[in-house]
């Protein structure tokens, strides 16, 4: 079994180390103090019991946190665990430079003026340097870096220094996601950053600010031009400039999509990315009918799981029941995949990230129609299947003598309001 956190670190600006984003936000693997002192990050944190639980469980083909992992977008139940890379490669380093934003987008947690859990809003360079140097000292090389989070990364004045530090010490393919409304620094081009993804979700200010509240389309365009002009002046090939367009029902006309792609061509963009969001007001368009003007366009459609019908659920359940007697381990993996698919269906149309996290903590938060589009009777049947799947997993692991795993599902069912 595999997920990005087998060999990954997610460092929040307030020092917290969650088990990645999405459902993993509800699991904390550790919290770094303001002054880490003589502690060695790799030994004290990356190889501590919480991090190690992920690897040891997945090496046994089990999820480390029953009920939570089953909902995770990054879980691959059929993936191969790779123990030979544990001491040499960091597959993912996801860090959040700022727990503070200059916009108030509907989906986000809205930390425009708030503080982190420990009162820290910016990831300090000293703390970050300690983490990176420790990983480098232990011989790690980075595969992929991801710079994003609740806040806007460019609000941290040390951002480009963080990027350069990682590139110099760990290497890696590093991507930053920005709303383009923050300050530009030439260091974003000279630091070794691989890709910069800028959110440009409209062709006019009125449509732009429907989602990017308090944002300015003009600023995002100017930010893009600054990156492109600096690259040209320095003769730099990187970072590649990517424009991302989140597709809603208010910005998905052919006219807008063609005009947006032309704007990208006019502003020095290297690649465009259309994301068919699963949050509220999502577009009903399909990738097949999107007009294409830009030479390199990446389409990120809503996954098939998000539209899973009850008929499909019933068929999958029948197959799992039939498999349980002959191959309980395979039946367990199939059960985890089914739970994951149902949760994706229930999350279609979710309004905010907070609402998504409440879904992770328990479906009882959504029993009154869940603010989504699923009719009440269908919603109840989806929930009943999730409860049935987790009870089935509890039984499978109990019969296999894996009492801790069975108890983990029982505890989750109890906390999430799924006990029959």
């Amino acid at each position: 079994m595999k997920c990005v956190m087998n060999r990954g670190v997610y460092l929040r600006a307030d020092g917290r180390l969650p088990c990645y984003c999405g459902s993993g936000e509800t699991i904390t693997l550790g919290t770094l103090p303001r002054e880490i002192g003589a502690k060695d990050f790799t030994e004290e944190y990356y190889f501590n019991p919480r991090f190690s639980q992920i690897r040891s469980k997945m090496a046994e083909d089990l999820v480390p946190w029953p009920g939570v992992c089953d909902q995770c977008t990054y879980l691959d139940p059929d993936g191969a665990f790779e123990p030979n890379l544990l001491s040499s490669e960091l597959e993912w380093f996801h860090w959040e430079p700022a727990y503070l934003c200059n916009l108030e987008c509907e989906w986000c947690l809205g930390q425009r003026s708030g503080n982190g859990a420990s009162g820290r809003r910016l990831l300090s360079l000293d703390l970050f340097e300690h983490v990176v140097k420790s990983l480098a000292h232990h011989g790690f090389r980075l595969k992929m870096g991801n710079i994003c989070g609740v806040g806007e990364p460019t609000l941290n004045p040390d951002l480009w220094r963080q990027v350069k530090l990682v590139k110099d010490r760990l290497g890696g393919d590093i991507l930053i996601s920005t709303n383009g409304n923050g300050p530009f620094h030439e260091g974003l081009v000279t630091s070794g950053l691989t890709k910069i993804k800028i959110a440009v979700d409209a062709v006019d200010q009125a449509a732009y600010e429907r989602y990017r509240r308090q944002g300015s389309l003009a600023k995002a365009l100017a930010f893009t031009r600054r990156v492109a002009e600096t690259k040209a002046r320095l003769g730099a090939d990187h970072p590649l400039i990517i424009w991302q367009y989140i597709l809603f029902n208010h910005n998905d006309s052919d006219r807008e999509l063609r005009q947006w792609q032309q704007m990208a061509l006019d502003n020095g963009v290297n690649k465009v990315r259309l994301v068919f969001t699963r949050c509220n007001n999502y577009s009903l368009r399909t990738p097949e009918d999107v007009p294409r003007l830009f030479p390199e366009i990446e389409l990120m459609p809503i996954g098939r799981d998000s539209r899973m019908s009850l008929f499909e659920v019933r068929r999958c359940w029948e197959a799992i029941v039939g498999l349980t007697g002959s191959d309980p381990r395979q039946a367990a993996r199939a059960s985890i995949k089914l739970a994951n698919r149902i949760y994706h269906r229930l999350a279609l149309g979710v309004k905010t990230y907070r609402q998504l996290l409440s879904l992770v903590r328990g479906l009882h938060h959504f029993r009154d129609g869940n603010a989504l589009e699923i009719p009440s009777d269908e919603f109840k049947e989806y929930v009943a299947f999730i409860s049935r799947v987790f009870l089935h997993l509890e039984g499978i692991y109990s019969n296999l003598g894996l009492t801790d795993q069975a108890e983990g599902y029982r505890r989750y069912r109890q906390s999430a309001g799924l006990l029959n």
Side-chain angles (χ1 to χ4, degrees), residues 32 118 144 151 192 216 221 250 276 297 321 346 359 370 372 390 396 404:
L32 303 182
S118 60
M144 289 172 283
S216 164
L221 297 178
H250 62 259
F276 292 71
I297 180 168
V321 172
L346 294 176
L359 179 67
N370 67 35
L372 309 182
F390 286 159
I396 288 175
D404 287 349

Side-chain angles (χ1 to χ4, degrees), residues 15-156:
R16 194 164 65 90
L17 296 161
C19 186
Y20 220 65
C21 54
S23 61
E25 287 281 8
T26 63
I27 302 292
T28 298
L29 305 175
T31 301
L32 303 182
R34 289 177 183 271
E35 302 293 335
I36 199 166
K39 288 185 177 181
D40 182 273
F41 170 79
T42 305
E43 293 179 354
E44 297 283 338
Y45 292 92
Y46 189 63
F47 287 123
N48 75 11
R50 295 286 278 176
F51 271 94
S52 296
Q53 182 177 344
I54 300 171
R55 302 158 196 145
S56 61
K57 287 289 187 180
M58 290 200 172
E60 299 176 51
D61 213 20
L62 304 171
V63 297
W65 289 284
V68 176
C69 297
D70 305 73
Q71 304 177 50
C72 184
T73 303
Y74 306 98
L75 177 68
D76 180 5
D78 295 322
F81 185 68
E82 300 167 309
N84 58 307
L85 294 174
L86 284 179
S87 62
S88 61
E89 181 186 86
L90 191 66
E91 184 177 14
W92 276 98
F93 184 17
H94 181 179
W95 78 90
E96 175 190 65
Y99 193 82
L100 178 69
C101 196
N102 47 1
L103 273 60
E104 295 180 342
C105 305
E106 182 180 12
W107 167 254
C108 203
L109 290 175
Q111 296 298 327
R112 188 176 173 86
S113 58
N115 290 324
S118 60
R120 288 181 276 177
R121 297 191 293 177
L122 298 178
L123 179 59
S124 77
L125 185 60
D126 288 345
L127 182 64
F128 187 77
E129 187 175 24
H130 179 98
V131 171
V132 173
K133 285 184 175 180
S134 170
L135 290 166
H137 174 74
H138 284 269
F140 284 95
R141 298 297 293 172
L142 177 63
K143 185 176 181 181
M144 289 172 283
N146 186 19
I147 309 171
C148 66
V150 171
E152 165 52 38
T154 59
L155 295 183
N156 189 325

Side-chain angles (χ1 to χ4, degrees), residues 160-161 163-164 167-168 184-193 230-231 233-234 236 238-239:
W160 68 271
R161 295 182 181 91
V163 176
K164 190 175 189 312
K167 290 294 289 189
D168 289 347
F184 171 81
H185 193 286
E186 188 173 289
L188 289 173
V189 175
T190 61
S191 61
L193 186 69
T230 304
K231 284 175 59 180
R233 176 168 54 82
L234 298 177
H238 292 85

Side-chain angles (χ1 to χ4, degrees), residues 276-303:
F276 292 71
T277 184
R278 294 187 297 129
C279 71
N280 64 315
N281 301 318
Y282 61 88
S283 173
L284 295 178
R285 296 199 66 158
T286 64
E288 292 73 27
D289 71 351
V290 169
R292 306 192 186 200
L293 177 64
F294 201 88
E296 187 174 357
I297 180 168
E298 180 183 12
L299 300 175
M300 305 290 291
I302 294 175

Side-chain angles (χ1 to χ4, degrees), residues 171-191:
D173 183 340
I174 302 179
L175 164 72
I176 181 175
S177 300
T178 173
N179 59 40
N181 278 238
F184 171 81
H185 193 286
E186 188 173 289
L188 289 173
V189 175
T190 61
S191 61

